[in-house]
Amino acid sequence: MKKNVTIRVMMTILLALVAIAVTIAIVKVNVREIGPQGTSVGFADFNEKMRDKIGYSESFYKISKYIGYVVLLVAASFALLGLVQLIKRRSLFKVDANVVALGVVYVILAGIYACFEKFVVNYRPLIMEGKSTVEASFPSSHTILVCVIMGTAIMAWNVLIKNKTAKTALTIISAILIVAMVVTRVLSGVHWFTDIVAGIVYSGVLISLYSVMMAMIYNNKND
């Protein structure tokens, strides 16, 4: 099993390097001022074509927001589970390790969001209704939120839930929510296409990190 952990660690490092490479490429490659208020965007030719082809859809934007609300409830359910265990067991060390690991991933996710809100890579391809200026767009926060929460939830539920039918159903629902978010976020037109790609890549890093922690937990229980 230790070999399994090593492989997962290497995969996480590789994905992190890919995420860094994608970020650098978006900052450096084919950068032009094609955004509102003279904002610059990498891979400008490609992103401009995608923007002009897709346009803006308020309907898809609203659907993606509702999906985000549903997924936040999933995260809240895990947080509540951890809180209940903490109160009952009176020690953080007695809370299920996989639930604590989820908390670590959520904190890192929040950190990534805060980082890219402060150090903006790309701004949105349009000024949203009710706003007077463009907002940060890289990576797509809704995309990374849903991919990470539902991707890690699948692994967590696999441990917490014993019923195979329930686990299968939750896995299918999670996959549908992930795909639905990516598709609706693309079709909404509120992000440059590369921002959504970056969201998927960064999600892969955090999901892989959680798999490392899960493997380490499993190894410790079997030592």
Side-chain angles (χ1 to χ4, degrees):
M1 290 299 296
K2 289 183 179 180
K3 181 179 179 182
N4 186 32
V5 173
T6 302
I7 292 173
R8 295 188 188 202
V9 169
M10 292 175 64
M11 178 59 69
T12 303
I13 293 172
L14 177 61
L15 287 170
L17 292 174
V18 171
I20 293 171
V22 167
T23 304
I24 293 173
I26 290 174
V27 171
K28 296 292 186 181
V29 178
N30 187 211
V31 179
R32 287 197 292 113
E33 294 182 358
I34 61 171
Q37 297 181 336
T39 51
S40 299
V41 178
F43 291 94
D45 293 344
F46 173 74
N47 276 319
E48 187 174 35
K49 287 179 182 178
M50 294 299 294
R51 179 197 62 187
D52 294 344
K53 185 175 182 179
I54 294 171
Y56 169 67
S57 170
E58 184 178 1
S59 297
F60 282 120
Y61 175 63
K62 287 182 177 179
I63 292 172
S64 70
K65 288 183 68 176
Y66 294 143
I67 294 172
Y69 296 148
V70 171
V71 170
L72 284 175
L73 289 176
V74 174
S77 71
F78 284 116
L80 180 60
L81 174 61
L83 179 61
V84 170
Q85 290 183 354
L86 178 61
I87 293 172
K88 286 184 175 181
R89 300 171 186 178
R90 300 181 180 180
S91 173
L92 181 61
F93 296 104
K94 293 181 180 179
V95 175
D96 289 351
N98 59 315
V99 176
V100 174
L102 275 177
V104 172
V105 171
Y106 292 168
V107 169
I108 296 173
L109 174 59
I112 290 174
Y113 173 80
C115 177
F116 284 113
E117 282 291 309
K118 185 174 180 61
F119 303 102
V120 179
V121 173
N122 280 342
Y123 290 95
R124 291 187 189 275
L126 73 166
I127 298 175
M128 302 301 295
E129 184 178 353
K131 303 291 183 179
S132 60
T133 186
V134 284
E135 302 168 279
S137 177
F138 176 99
S140 168
S141 56
H142 278 71
T143 299
I144 191 171
L145 178 79
V146 173
C147 288
V148 170
I149 291 177
M150 300 315 300
T152 54
I154 291 172
M155 288 184 276
W157 282 327
N158 191 52
V159 174
L160 296 170
I161 299 175
K162 304 303 179 184
N163 186 283
K164 290 184 179 180
T165 302
K167 285 194 287 189
T168 300
L170 287 170
T171 298
I172 292 172
I173 292 171
S174 298
I176 290 173
L177 288 172
I178 290 171
V179 173
M181 175 55 80
V182 172
V183 171
T184 55
R185 215 58 185 172
V186 169
L187 296 179
S188 70
V190 297
H191 293 286
W192 301 106
F193 192 87
T194 51
D195 296 336
I196 295 171
V197 172
I200 295 171
V201 174
Y202 275 93
S203 298
V205 177
L206 295 185
I207 293 170
S208 183
L209 176 62
Y210 184 67
S211 75
V212 170
M213 290 188 282
M214 290 286 281
M216 292 175 68
I217 292 167
Y218 183 85
N219 281 352
N220 290 334
K221 286 184 177 181
N222 287 275
D223 283 345

